[in-house]
Amino acid sequence: MDFDGAKKYVFSRMKNELSRNLHYHSIDHTKDVMSAIEKLAEMENVSEHDKELLLTGALFHDLGFVITYDGHENASINLAQEILPGYEYTEDEIKIIEGLIRATEIPQTPTNHLEKIMSDADLDYLGRDDLFVIGQRLQYEWKLYGKVSTLRDWHKAQLEFLKKHKYFTDSARKIRDKKKEENILELEKLLCYKK
């Protein structure tokens, strides 16, 4: 696998082709997911080969946004199938990467260990201090795409999402659950919800 070559290719396309309206689904989000994968893969004792598959999945999981907003996961999978053979990825490796991309689709339904790591890495920020900063980018993006109108509607949607969300790996639960609960309380305060 020529991971470095694939990474250079994807980052170049993202820089040149992603819409400027993608304030959340940007190259920064892809880098953030890759960083979360590095940490979770180590904690979950993943092999170097599998970590490289995970990182490739992270690279490609939102590349479909260069083609479409809704249904971007399918576009991402098509791009991975088309591009990765040119970077010496085997058919079996590409199949695994397809599953990793699919595992980021909401609602998340990972079917194996690597897909669980991928799902957790994609939403790692839910259990971090920067939830509100990152969430603001998504809120602005959704507003531009007509998916949310008011800030209050956004906060309600985010609170509902956080309450339903569960991390799949022990490692993610260990490092992110406590802060995620604190973030839920913050959102409830913001919305003046009574306990």
Side-chain angles (χ1 to χ4, degrees):
M1 292 186 292
D2 177 12
F3 170 72
D4 290 332
K7 180 176 163 184
K8 206 174 284 183
Y9 174 88
V10 170
F11 282 173
S12 172
R13 279 199 75 175
M14 287 182 130
K15 281 178 189 156
N16 295 316
E17 297 178 46
L18 278 180
S19 165
R20 301 243 183 268
N21 289 336
L22 294 173
H23 296 274
Y24 171 82
H25 292 104
S26 65
I27 198 166
D28 291 334
H29 169 65
T30 297
K31 288 177 179 176
D32 187 59
V33 174
M34 291 173 78
S35 175
I37 281 170
E38 292 278 1
K39 180 181 286 199
L40 290 173
E42 187 178 327
M43 291 177 77
E44 291 285 314
N45 297 311
V46 168
S47 72
E48 273 306 305
H49 178 260
D50 284 352
K51 184 170 88 171
E52 218 157 77
L53 291 174
L54 280 162
L55 289 169
T56 307
L59 267 180
F60 277 83
H61 86 286
D62 281 345
L63 186 60
F65 278 109
V66 302
I67 295 167
T68 184
Y69 194 86
D70 293 317
H72 74 274
E73 292 91 357
N74 286 331
S76 295
I77 287 169
N78 291 339
L79 287 166
Q81 290 168 338
E82 178 190 317
I83 294 157
L84 287 173
Y87 291 95
E88 299 167 48
Y89 284 75
T90 67
E91 218 172 283
D92 288 343
E93 289 166 340
I94 293 168
K95 269 272 174 272
I96 292 166
I97 291 161
E98 288 171 28
L100 296 174
I101 295 167
R102 183 79 56 220
T104 66
E105 200 168 7
I106 305 294
Q108 295 176 319
T109 52
T111 61
N112 60 46
H113 187 227
L114 293 184
E115 290 178 12
K116 288 176 182 180
I117 293 170
M118 183 73 189
S119 296
D120 288 350
D122 190 36
L123 295 176
D124 183 64
Y125 77 99
L126 297 180
R128 295 191 328 225
D129 290 333
D130 58 355
L131 166 76
F132 292 96
V133 173
I134 291 174
Q136 211 51 49
R137 290 183 205 140
L138 185 57
Q139 183 265 334
Y140 187 56
E141 180 179 306
W142 274 17
K143 193 168 184 168
L144 292 173
Y145 284 90
K147 299 196 176 291
V148 70
S149 51
T150 69
L151 191 55
R152 185 167 179 81
D153 287 345
W154 161 253
H155 288 314
K156 282 181 177 177
Q158 192 173 39
L159 178 60
E160 190 180 317
F161 186 74
L162 258 77
K163 283 183 164 183
K164 285 182 184 170
H165 173 265
K166 299 269 184 275
Y167 286 114
F168 296 98
T169 63
D170 290 339
S171 299
R173 285 192 292 272
K174 182 179 171 184
I175 62 172
R176 298 296 180 225
D177 268 355
K178 186 176 183 290
K179 185 63 191 177
K180 190 177 77 170
E181 286 307 312
E182 290 171 18
N183 288 336
I184 287 169
L185 292 174
E186 281 299 311
L187 276 167
E188 286 176 339
K189 267 193 251 171
L190 195 63
L191 289 161
C192 303
Y193 283 7
K194 301 272 188 266
K195 275 282 181 192

